[in-house]
């Protein structure tokens, strides 16, 4: 009985593989073009408009627990202040920005936390507008820092 069941299973799998080789049984992903026939021998191809969103760029700079991305270049605090990152000039502008909280764990480890972290080989330019302050008050880490820069420098 067991031997017959194995043979039947083998035959069914073989049949399923053979069916997929038959061209009439292929399933396409769908057409992306629209064809318009204007004359019997003339076919005009009109490409369907394809809209593709560009991939979001993620930058190695954080304010608190929020990371700067190409879609999120400004982070607001609760008092109307902003931290804005310009990736073209590698500039972080703190405009009356206040951060006080647990910050972001450095490299995901509980040894240290920071209010603002930057991990890139380039120089980070920081511009202060008005009065800004950053404080990391994480009580579960060995050390805290206001601004942490790894692999680069600050000007």
């Amino acid at each position: 009985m067991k031997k017959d069941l194995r043979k039947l299973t083998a035959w069914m799998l073989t049949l399923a593989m053979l069916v997929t080789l038959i061209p009439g049984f292929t399933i396409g992903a769908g057409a992306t073009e629209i064809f318009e026939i204007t004359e019997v021998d003339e076919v005009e191809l009109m490409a369907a408009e394809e809209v593709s969103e560009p991939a979001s760029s993620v930058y190695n700079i954080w304010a608190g627990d929020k990371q700067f991305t190409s879609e999120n270049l400004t982070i607001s605090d609760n008092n109307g202040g902003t931290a804005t990152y310009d990736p073209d000039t590698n500039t972080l502008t703190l405009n009356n920005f206040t951060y006080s909280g647990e910050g972001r764990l450095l490299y995901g480890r509980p040894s240290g936390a920071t209010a603002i972290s930057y991990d890139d080989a380039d120089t980070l330019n920081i511009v202060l507008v008005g009065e800004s302050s950053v404080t990391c008050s994480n009580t579960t880490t060995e050390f805290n820092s206001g601004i942490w820069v790894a692999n680069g420098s600050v000007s």
Side-chain angles (χ1 to χ4, degrees), residues 10 37 52 55 80 103 124-125 129 142 148:
I37 300 176
S52 62
L124 175 65
N125 305 302
V129 177
E142 293 175 22
W148 175 271

Side-chain angles (χ1 to χ4, degrees), residues 14-27:
T14 303
L15 181 63
M17 287 188 284
L18 288 174
V19 167
T20 61
L21 295 175
I22 299 171
F25 284 87
T26 59
I27 299 172

Side-chain angles (χ1 to χ4, degrees), residues 26-42:
T26 59
I27 299 172
T32 58
E33 294 88 21
I34 299 171
F35 295 93
E36 181 178 309
I37 300 176
T38 56
E39 290 185 19
V40 175
D41 294 325
E42 182 183 334

Side-chain angles (χ1 to χ4, degrees), residues 9 15 21 33 42 48-49 53-54 57 71 73 80 84 87 89 118 121 143 155:
T9 303
L15 181 63
L21 295 175
E33 294 88 21
E42 182 183 334
E49 186 175 328
E53 295 290 325
S57 296
E71 296 174 356
L73 292 173
T84 304
T89 61
Y118 174 73
F143 71 91
S155 73

Side-chain angles (χ1 to χ4, degrees), residues 21 25 35 55 58 69 77 79-80 90 93 97 108 121 127 143 146 148:
L21 295 175
F25 284 87
F35 295 93
V58 178
T69 67
D77 65 11
N79 302 316
N90 212 34
T93 303
F97 182 75
V127 176
F143 71 91
W148 175 271

Side-chain angles (χ1 to χ4, degrees), residues 105-121:
L105 293 178
L106 295 172
Y107 307 110
R109 296 184 215 133
S111 58
T114 182
I116 293 178
S117 67
Y118 174 73
D119 187 356
D120 204 312

Side-chain angles (χ1 to χ4, degrees), residues 43-93:
V43 176
E44 188 177 322
L45 175 65
M46 298 171 57
E49 186 175 328
E50 292 184 27
V51 178
S52 62
E53 295 290 325
S56 176
S57 296
V58 178
Y59 305 107
N60 289 328
I61 183 166
W62 299 68
D65 61 350
K66 296 179 181 147
Q67 187 171 19
F68 288 96
T69 67
S70 58
E71 296 174 356
N72 186 30
L73 292 173
T74 299
I75 295 172
S76 300
D77 65 11
N78 294 334
N79 302 316
T82 58
T84 304
Y85 179 64
D86 182 350
D88 295 329
T89 61
N90 212 34
T91 301
L92 175 65
T93 303

